[in-house]
Amino acid sequence: MPIVTPDLCDDYPEVQVVEPGFRNYGGVSAFGGEIVTVKCFEDNSVVKEQVGLPGNGRVMVVDGGGSKRNALLGDMLAEKAASNGWAGLIIYGCIRDVDVIGQTELGVQALGTHPRKTDKRGIGDLNVPVTFGGVTFLPGHYLYADNNGIVVSEKPLKID
């Protein structure tokens, strides 16, 4: 069944809703799964490591501090994430190569686009609580996203 976040909000009033501001860029417009978190600022080294590992239908939530000075995801990393079974990525920051990412079988939401890549300094934290958009994302919780928005739940939700 397709993910429809307004229906999830109606059926599960306890879900948290991320504040508006994200745009859908991926080839999959509705996606969801267990959360893996990355906290990084203008360095996507940890994102690069994680997309190279099996995603098992999970969603990577990347707290880039809202920076709009470079891109934390590009076409090569998005293609690697898709081929390794990630359901999607939420980027609190920017992405690039949006035309290719839009053709990739992956859910991707971000604040915007920027053509410059990040430096790789090996800086970032994996599976730590991250907070943005009025929501704290915890590893092991669940995220559902579509063109209407992003919702977060402590447990998996039944999609009818």
Side-chain angles (χ1 to χ4, degrees), residues 3-7 17-18 20 22 24 29 109 145-150:
I3 292 170
V4 181
T5 58
D7 292 347
V17 179
V18 178
F22 288 84
N24 226 338
S29 62
Q109 289 200 17
D146 65 6
N147 285 322
N148 296 291
I150 303 167

Side-chain angles (χ1 to χ4, degrees), residues 63-123:
D63 180 356
S67 174
K68 294 184 178 177
R69 295 190 293 206
N70 52 36
L72 293 170
L73 181 75
D75 59 345
M76 292 188 295
L77 295 186
E79 289 171 355
K80 185 172 278 198
S83 67
N84 283 328
W86 288 90
L89 290 95
I90 302 293
I91 308 284
Y92 185 53
C94 292
I95 67 168
R96 67 187 203 159
D97 304 314
V98 295
D99 295 331
V100 175
I101 289 174
Q103 301 299 313
T104 303
E105 281 297 306
L106 182 70
V108 177
Q109 289 200 17
L111 296 179
T113 63
H114 198 290
R116 179 169 289 138
K117 66 181 179 178
T118 69
D119 292 330
K120 308 281 188 293
R121 300 179 312 271
I123 299 170

Side-chain angles (χ1 to χ4, degrees), residues 48-72:
K48 182 178 181 180
E49 291 169 6
Q50 290 303 299
V51 298
L53 300 174
N56 300 317
R58 295 176 295 168
V59 176
M60 190 182 312
V61 176
V62 181
D63 180 356
S67 174
K68 294 184 178 177
R69 295 190 293 206
N70 52 36
L72 293 170

